Amino acid sequence: MEQHTLSWGRRYLMVEPDHFRVDYAINPYMDVRDQPDPALSREQWRGLVEAIRSAGGEVEVLGQRADSPDMVYAMNLGLVVDGGPAGADRRVVHSHMRHPERRRETRTAQPWFAAHGFAGTYVGRDGVGAHFEAGDAFAWRDALVVGYGPRTEELGLKHLATELDVRVRGLRITHPGMYHLDLAFCPLDETRAMVCPSALDEASAAALLALVPEPLVLTEEEALTFCANSIVVGSTVLMPAVPDRVRAQLEDWGFEVVLVDVGEFHKGGGSVRCLTNPLDVVRGRDLPRVAGGEVLLP
Ligand SMILES: NC(=[NH2+])NCCC[C@H](N)C(=O)O
């Protein structure tokens, strides 16, 4: 079968898990009585770094704040929308986390992005403005596809569209266990994606299925293995788990499935995609510019 690949997803930011704990519960998976093992967490995290490098990807590492146990989920630190080569005009949209427990993280991520040449934009400031968590957003096909509800607020979509001059396609998340869109949606190449309609309300589920020319539709049970919380490096899909049926379809499409055990991080409610933040998305190439912006809701 003919193999296409995403034009982004070769370069990632990750946060070294030096202070990974479960100190509070802000999603249904977190339980302060079930703490991750620090040594095993570190080993699994290194395994993920290795797997990305073996698939041909690059990883940049940021240290973790001692007071921010969820900072390991680097995907939520911000959304890179212009990640061209060093020296090019780079741009990141900082997250404005829903939960105050996570707001310190952005204060550490901002100087890192600035030092790497990224100009920062806000959808909102700490405590003011709409919430936006980057784990809800994907540059895919003709738009920035953004989940809203549990974390990102609907008002944030308008800001994203007008500030970035892009089309934003909003999808309303209703499933408490898929509180970020990246637990229910995983673009594989420019026409294929894993999608779990049961994460969304009826109209949004229909809109997502209409958007994906060749969907790999996941049942709720399949998605709750976190199999959609995967990343694609070229034609390799790095996955925390893969139901047999899902593996068969991916391999039939020409992808290589590599399983990476990050089970300790499931205790915080995140997996492979949550631990990695793509730095190489480029507006104009991966995300068409639309003057003035546009928000499409189902
Ligand atoms: N991109 C993601 N889905 N990240 C998962 C974040 C997990 C983190 N404990 C939270 O609830 O915010």
Side-chain angles (χ1 to χ4, degrees):
M1 196 150 298
E2 202 190 338
Q3 185 67 53
H4 302 275
T5 53
L6 291 171
S7 41
W8 53 270
R10 301 293 204 288
R11 205 151 41 83
Y12 293 92
L13 173 63
M14 292 177 64
V15 172
E16 192 140 29
D18 289 328
H19 307 281
F20 176 46
R21 300 176 306 271
V22 177
D23 282 359
Y24 46 81
I26 56 171
N27 68 53
Y29 306 98
M30 299 174 86
D31 179 347
V32 295
R33 291 162 304 182
D34 187 16
Q35 290 297 325
D37 177 80
L40 183 55
S41 305
R42 217 164 281 138
E43 197 181 300
Q44 292 181 342
W45 185 87
R46 288 201 194 106
L48 176 56
V49 173
E50 265 321 295
I52 293 172
R53 291 187 175 144
S54 303
E58 290 167 46
V59 176
E60 308 237 15
V61 177
L62 171 62
Q64 184 177 8
R65 287 177 70 115
D67 61 5
S68 300
D70 268 337
M71 191 175 162
V72 295
Y73 303 106
M75 185 57 233
N76 293 308
L77 293 177
L79 182 76
V80 168
V81 291
D82 289 313
D89 280 339
R90 289 177 160 183
R91 187 163 181 188
V92 62
V93 182
H94 299 302
S95 287
H96 175 210
M97 306 278 197
R98 168 79 70 162
H99 297 285
E101 292 89 336
R102 292 201 67 182
R103 291 195 193 138
R104 289 180 295 265
E105 296 172 30
T106 29
R107 292 206 280 275
T108 298
Q110 282 165 6
W112 185 90
F113 281 115
H116 289 77
F118 289 88
T121 309
Y122 295 92
V123 166
R125 289 168 195 283
D126 276 4
V128 191
H131 295 127
F132 167 64
E133 297 194 4
D136 273 321
F138 292 87
W140 198 59
R141 293 178 67 83
D142 67 348
L144 192 62
V145 182
V146 184
Y148 66 96
R151 297 294 177 90
T152 297
E153 288 176 293
E154 187 181 332
L155 178 62
L157 312 187
K158 181 91 201 126
H159 290 303
L160 285 167
T162 52
E163 283 164 28
L164 299 175
D165 287 314
V166 298
R167 178 178 298 113
V168 171
R169 291 184 179 273
L171 300 170
R172 198 159 77 83
I173 301 175
T174 48
H175 195 301
M178 292 186 251
Y179 54 91
H180 278 134
L181 187 62
D182 61 12
L183 295 160
F185 176 57
C186 177
L188 295 162
D189 62 20
E190 74 246 2
T191 55
R192 297 162 175 149
M194 290 186 265
V195 301
C196 180
S198 29
L200 308 171
D201 72 15
E202 218 176 299
S204 294
L208 180 56
L209 288 170
L211 178 66
V212 183
E214 293 180 89
L216 200 176
V217 179
L218 304 175
T219 64
E220 177 186 16
E221 192 192 353
E222 286 168 339
L224 293 178
T225 66
F226 286 171
C227 68
N229 202 252
S230 297
I231 59 170
V232 186
V233 182
S235 56
T236 305
V237 192
L238 304 179
M239 312 183 76
V242 65
D244 290 345
R245 190 189 69 86
V246 174
R247 177 194 283 274
Q249 178 63 84
L250 291 171
E251 290 178 350
D252 188 50
W253 278 340
F255 293 99
E256 186 194 349
V257 171
V258 172
L259 280 180
V260 187
D261 180 5
V262 290
E264 290 307 285
F265 297 96
H266 293 189
K267 295 175 180 173
S271 195
V272 170
R273 146 84 179 186
C274 304
L275 294 166
T276 54
N277 191 330
L279 296 171
D280 55 354
V281 173
V282 176
R283 235 175 349 161
R285 182 190 69 183
D286 308 317
L287 185 57
R289 288 176 194 269
V290 174
E294 175 183 24
V295 178
L296 298 177
L297 295 175

